[in-house]
């Protein structure tokens, strides 16, 4: 397959190249794409060097699939141009996620919604992806009423500039800032822009996207999203209230059987998921599984994943894999 990676010089794009190679996606021709200023630069793929091209050049090459991670405005402008040329676009930005005509997909949860007519498919927000992988088997069994989530998000979620800010601050170097405040040795309860209701856009994404992916508008969600000076992945404290009561051993077993999820939960031996462990892994890790003793039918979980992998690149490549396997690509 001819595969374009739009945003190939960025944090997510470079992980996409790695994931495509690791999973042996059948790439016969790779087309790395970035902004005009990067045209001519080289990226590595499976030990070979490829020249970065512009969007216009890439469209003319008529790729079968384009994995986009180049920001919302680039997606809004360029994804339809690729789609018109017959390319299937899998987009990592927030541009198309809540468009009712576009599918929002986490393959382990709702790959079945994709049809041959879908030419632009949206990859959900990183924090939402890892949470819904854990919620899915529990919703099927006990029916979720309400979710209260607080996130502890890696600086890699903001892109290259944020990683540079953290490392510069750590090394006492003056440089460009991705955040309005110092991030090293700090915690910033603000991800994406504030909305009129006092929530941030990241928080509202978690609320709306969870309902859309789970296909159930009755699930009530409230979120507080927080940036912390960490690189390996995002962590989440997730409190879930169910319609029906549950058995803790059965909850554990359901989570163990869920595809894409690894249970790391052995407090006696100090085993619980951490971003250091999730880093470079494609799976979501879940632990600290315990009953919320303050009210009935309620569970607490701790969910961790590499936001550049399952939260972005891996999920996008898995969508492409599913489409290829099912003759949709
Ligand atoms: N980081 C995450 O955890 C994460 C998770 C899910 C989704 N996303 C989304 O993925 C996207 C990229 O994130 P990132 O963290 O990889 O950012 P990043 O490191 O800043 O990379 C941005 C990439 O987009 C390219 N680009 C910018 N403007 C472009 C244009 N007009 N045409 C073509 N390419 C253009 C850049 O090329 P140049 O190098 O030439 O500037 C670069 O390759 C964003 O939409 C973000 O919301 C990120």
């Amino acid at each position: 397959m001819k595969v374009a990676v739009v945003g190939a010089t960025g944090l997510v794009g470079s992980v996409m190249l790695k994931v495509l190679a690791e999973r042996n996606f059948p790439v016969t021709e790779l087309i790395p794409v970035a902004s005009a200023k990067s045209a001519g630069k080289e990226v590595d793929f499976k030990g070979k060097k490829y020249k970065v091209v512009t969007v216009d050049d890439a469209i003319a090459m008529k790729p079968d699939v384009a994995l986009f991670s180049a920001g919302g405005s680039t997606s809004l402008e360029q994804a339809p141009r690729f789609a018109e040329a017959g390319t299937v676009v899998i987009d990592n930005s927030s541009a198309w996620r809540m468009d009712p005509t576009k599918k929002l997909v986490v393959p382990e949860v709702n790959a079945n919604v994709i049809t041959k007519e879908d030419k632009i498919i949206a990859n959900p927000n990183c924090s939402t992806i890892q949470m819904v992988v854990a919620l899915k088997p529990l919703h099927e069994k006990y029916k979720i009423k309400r979710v209260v989530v607080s996130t502890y998000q890696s600086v890699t979620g903001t892109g290259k500039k944020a990683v540079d800010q953290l490392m510069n601050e750590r090394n006492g170097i003056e440089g460009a800032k991705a955040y309005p405040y110092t991030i090293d040795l700090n915690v910033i309860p603000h991800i994406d822009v504030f909305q009129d209701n006092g929530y941030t856009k990241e928080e509202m994404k978690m609320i709306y996207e969870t309902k859309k992916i789970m296909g159930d508008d009755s699930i009530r969600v409230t979120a507080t999203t927080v940036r912390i000076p960490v690189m390996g992945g995002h962590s989440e404290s997730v409190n879930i209230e169910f319609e029906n009561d549950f058995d803790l051993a059965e909850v554990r077993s359901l989570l163990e059987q869920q595809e894409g999820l690894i249970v790391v939960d052995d407090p006696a031996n100090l085993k619980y998921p951490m971003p250091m462990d999730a880093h470079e892994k494609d799976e979501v890790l879940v632990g600290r599984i315990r009953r919320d003793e303050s009210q009935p039918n309620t569970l607490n979980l701790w969910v961790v994943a590499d936001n550049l992998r399952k939260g972005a690149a891996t999920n996008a490549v898995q969508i492409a894999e599913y489409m290829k396997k099912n003759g949709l690509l």
Side-chain angles (χ1 to χ4, degrees):
M1 305 210 91
K2 261 195 216 178
V3 180
V5 174
V6 183
T9 53
L11 277 189
V12 175
S14 50
V15 179
M16 273 176 178
L17 296 176
K18 238 198 248 181
V19 173
L20 284 168
E22 279 171 16
R23 298 175 74 93
N24 235 343
F25 191 80
V27 180
T28 49
E29 189 178 339
L30 179 81
I31 308 169
V33 188
S35 74
K37 78 171 179 346
S38 301
K41 273 190 188 167
E42 286 184 332
V43 297
D44 278 322
F45 180 68
K46 289 192 165 179
K48 271 178 68 183
K49 301 245 183 258
Y50 290 80
K51 274 212 167 34
V52 171
V53 302
T54 62
V55 167
D56 287 349
D57 289 343
I59 292 170
M61 292 158 95
K62 294 196 175 296
D64 297 296
V65 59
L67 306 177
F68 260 67
S69 64
S73 54
T74 305
S75 278
L76 279 177
E77 213 177 297
Q78 309 296 1
R81 295 184 62 216
F82 275 89
E84 275 158 30
T87 301
V88 168
V89 172
I90 301 172
D91 180 46
N92 261 287
S93 79
S94 58
W96 306 100
R97 291 179 189 151
M98 293 315 297
D99 181 328
T101 67
K102 304 288 180 291
K103 307 290 168 55
L104 182 65
V105 177
V106 177
E108 297 92 332
V109 180
N110 66 337
N112 58 311
V113 299
I114 309 174
T115 67
K116 219 168 164 80
E117 282 64 54
D118 294 315
K119 294 296 174 216
I120 298 176
I121 293 150
N123 216 42
N125 167 266
C126 41
S127 317
T128 312
I129 292 177
Q130 65 183 70
M131 182 169 81
V132 296
V133 175
L135 294 184
K136 189 220 176 202
L138 305 178
H139 184 52
E140 276 172 2
K141 184 78 190 182
Y142 310 114
K143 190 157 181 15
I144 295 172
K145 277 170 72 176
R146 179 169 185 254
V147 176
V148 182
V149 55
S150 300
T151 69
Y152 305 67
Q153 295 184 221
S154 158
V155 292
T156 57
T158 318
K160 262 189 179 146
K161 194 174 168 191
V163 174
D164 290 344
Q165 177 179 340
L166 173 62
M167 295 322 289
N168 284 343
E169 287 170 357
R170 192 149 287 195
N171 295 312
I173 299 167
E174 274 300 316
K177 302 275 186 202
Y179 302 117
Y181 297 101
T182 300
I183 184 64
D184 194 24
L185 300 177
N186 197 16
V187 159
I188 305 178
H190 163 195
I191 299 185
D192 212 331
V193 293
F194 278 99
Q195 311 289 286
D196 289 344
N197 64 358
Y199 284 77
T200 64
K201 198 169 167 197
E202 182 86 351
E203 290 160 351
M204 297 314 293
K205 285 179 202 165
M206 291 195 80
I207 294 166
Y208 296 135
E209 292 182 22
T210 299
K211 293 171 191 274
K212 182 165 175 179
I213 301 159
M214 305 282 286
D216 189 341
D217 274 343
S218 75
I219 300 175
R220 287 178 287 144
V221 182
T222 187
T224 303
T225 58
V226 180
R227 189 73 63 193
I228 61 168
V230 155
M231 304 262 252
H234 293 350
S235 304
E236 296 172 349
S237 161
V238 188
N239 180 269
I240 314 153
E241 184 184 355
F242 299 102
E243 198 87 47
N244 305 304
D245 198 10
F246 56 84
D247 172 71
L248 218 42
E250 190 183 51
V251 164
R252 175 186 284 272
S253 150
L254 289 169
L255 294 172
E256 280 168 352
Q257 287 164 48
Q258 170 61 41
E259 190 194 339
L261 201 60
I262 299 176
V263 174
V264 183
D265 191 39
D266 182 8
N269 290 303
L270 310 186
K271 297 267 192 261
Y272 31 72
M274 293 185 289
M276 271 178 149
D277 308 319
H279 186 51
E280 297 286 333
K281 286 207 176 67
D282 286 327
E283 294 84 5
V284 176
L285 311 183
V286 61
R288 305 295 321 277
I289 304 166
R290 64 215 191 276
R291 193 174 274 281
D292 175 350
E293 295 177 340
S294 71
Q295 65 168 13
N297 305 355
T298 309
L299 182 75
N300 279 312
L301 298 178
W302 178 249
V303 181
V304 182
D306 186 330
N307 51 296
L308 294 176
R309 285 203 168 232
K310 186 57 187 165
T314 301
N315 198 72
V317 174
Q318 286 171 329
I319 293 173
E321 285 172 348
Y322 174 89
M323 293 183 75
K324 174 91 181 70
K325 192 170 156 209
N326 290 279
L328 303 168
L329 198 62

